[in-house]
Amino acid sequence: MTDAKNLTQLGKHVETPQSPEQAVLETVPFNRGDGPPAIVRFTCPEFTSLCPVTGQPDFAHIVIDYAPDKTLVESKSLKLFMTSFRNHGAFHEECTVMIGRRIVEATKPLWLRVGGYWFPRGGIPIDVFWQTGAPPKDVWLPDTGVAPYRGRG
């Protein structure tokens, strides 16, 4: 059984952090065993942040794939981290890269990629991709499942 006694958020009422910088990403031990690494996927189809200039909301579909080594990101802490962007003013590129870097800092995975599929701002959708390097050998990487933006056509 996984040791969860160090977790401070799971199973408890926790307020949404006021900013991504204040959010705490917690981890749990992971025994990856023999063979190719596992790929873990998180999708956040209703991600929200704020435009740093206008303060208007921006929306994205975020897909995070990572190959954990010795730790997994605990999902409630990830949800709280992702939700904290609702109060955060930053451009699409900064938000997407910050998500990837914070997960890497917390979990030290073998590999990670994050795709931010942002809905149009000023008529232009912006997609942002960031990864730590080449994926590990022999892993199965499914398509992200997010179609390119097509508007109403």
Side-chain angles (χ1 to χ4, degrees):
M1 181 168 213
T2 300
D3 179 11
K5 64 183 165 224
N6 293 330
L7 298 176
T8 63
Q9 301 172 93
L10 185 62
K12 298 171 180 72
H13 176 75
V14 180
E15 296 294 326
T16 300
Q18 290 300 304
S19 70
E21 294 82 11
Q22 292 177 1
V24 176
L25 281 174
E26 296 187 325
T27 62
V28 294
F30 177 65
N31 180 8
R32 67 182 200 91
D34 297 330
I39 298 296
V40 177
R41 172 170 288 171
F42 290 104
T43 57
C44 187
E46 297 176 347
F47 182 86
T48 307
S49 67
L50 298 175
C51 172
V53 176
T54 67
Q56 295 295 309
D58 286 320
F59 303 94
H61 185 143
I62 305 289
V63 179
I64 303 160
D65 290 319
Y66 77 108
D69 188 15
K70 296 180 174 129
T71 59
L72 301 169
V73 66
E74 191 282 312
S75 63
K76 181 176 182 180
S77 73
L78 180 66
K79 291 173 197 172
L80 289 164
F81 170 63
M82 299 296 276
T83 302
S84 73
F85 280 87
R86 290 182 180 171
N87 301 318
H88 182 70
F91 290 114
H92 303 333
E93 298 84 352
E94 181 184 347
C95 290
T96 306
V97 173
M98 178 190 277
I99 291 166
R101 287 187 172 148
R102 284 289 305 278
I103 295 170
V104 167
E105 179 185 330
T107 66
K108 298 176 181 40
L110 300 171
W111 174 82
L112 176 138
R113 76 174 174 190
V114 59
Y117 300 86
W118 293 83
F119 290 89
R121 179 196 285 173
I124 300 173
I126 299 172
D127 295 337
V128 181
F129 307 99
W130 186 82
Q131 70 182 37
T132 59
K137 186 178 181 320
D138 296 330
V139 298
W140 177 58
L141 282 175
D143 182 84
T144 61
V146 181
Y149 186 78
R150 293 179 40 110
R152 296 195 172 162

